[in-house]
Amino acid sequence: MSTPANPPPASRAGTPAPAVHAWVGLGANLGEPAAALRQAVQALAHTKGIRLLRTSSLYRSAPVDAHGPDYLNAVAEIATTLSPHDLLAALQALEHAAGRERPYRNAPRTLDLDLLLYGTQNIATPDLTVPHPRMFERAFVLQPLAELAPQHVSAQALQAVQGQVMERCQGAGWAEGCGVSAEI
């Protein structure tokens, strides 16, 4: 029996969905932030349905609209077969496993994982907004995102946040050795 000339779309039952590129913001300012971010990258790389592609440099910045210790921030580029909401659930499970508590908005945190972009989709549901609703207000998101996906960050957006003080702590190799999933 021959294979049909036009195979069925990947979304049909039994056929895996094609991987979507997504970008995840990582941040931490409690405990050992550098270790927390490395562990988060490792956990992302070993989560079913996620393949870690690369990470940005690591940055230090003061909290925005909050108080507490400085944050360490980065962005991870992933390929995922998870739906946007399933990816959000996976990110929140990783935060919870790292001891993340949500006592109030912008509280200091052991780990913060934000879904910044999911392919080219615009999503507006009660529990998920993509692009992330505040990403264009934050240098600690835009600068590392621009390293990985400059097509998603305009010069005007970077200029708008240039007054926010942040320091590049380590180059993109800070997460090396955290593991990369061979399959998603």
Side-chain angles (χ1 to χ4, degrees):
M1 182 170 204
S2 65
T3 306
N6 295 317
S11 59
R12 292 211 178 144
T15 305
V20 173
H21 277 237
W23 289 266
V24 176
L26 301 99
N29 75 334
L30 293 178
E32 296 291 332
L37 295 185
R38 282 186 187 90
Q39 289 170 354
V41 168
Q42 185 173 31
L44 275 172
H46 292 93
T47 299
K48 185 177 173 139
I50 296 175
R51 183 167 42 100
L52 178 68
L53 300 176
R54 57 194 178 141
T55 58
S56 70
S57 297
L58 188 64
Y59 292 86
R60 178 182 315 280
S61 65
V64 174
D65 298 329
H67 39 96
D70 284 353
Y71 274 87
L72 289 182
N73 294 97
V75 169
E77 181 179 357
I78 63 171
T80 184
T81 56
L82 299 176
S83 72
H85 286 88
D86 287 345
L87 179 55
L88 176 64
L91 297 176
Q92 290 175 338
L94 294 176
E95 289 177 336
H96 181 74
R100 167 81 186 263
E101 296 178 359
R102 299 173 189 269
Y104 55 90
R105 184 181 164 120
N106 296 329
R109 39 203 79 160
T110 53
L111 182 63
D112 185 27
L113 300 174
D114 289 329
L115 179 54
L116 303 175
L117 298 167
Y118 184 89
T120 58
Q121 291 189 33
N122 290 307
I123 302 165
T125 66
D127 59 337
L128 179 62
T129 303
V130 174
H132 189 280
R134 291 171 299 284
M135 69 183 254
F136 290 103
E137 301 168 7
R138 297 175 171 167
F140 65 80
V141 172
L142 292 180
Q143 187 61 46
L145 179 60
E147 287 181 24
L148 302 179
Q151 71 276 17
H152 293 299
V153 183
S154 70
Q156 294 84 357
L158 287 171
Q159 186 174 10
V161 297
Q162 72 181 0
Q164 295 176 21
V165 178
M166 56 185 266
E167 166 192 7
R168 184 172 175 258
C169 299
Q170 295 181 14
W174 67 271
E176 285 181 12
C178 290
V180 176
S181 302
E183 297 293 325
I184 56 173

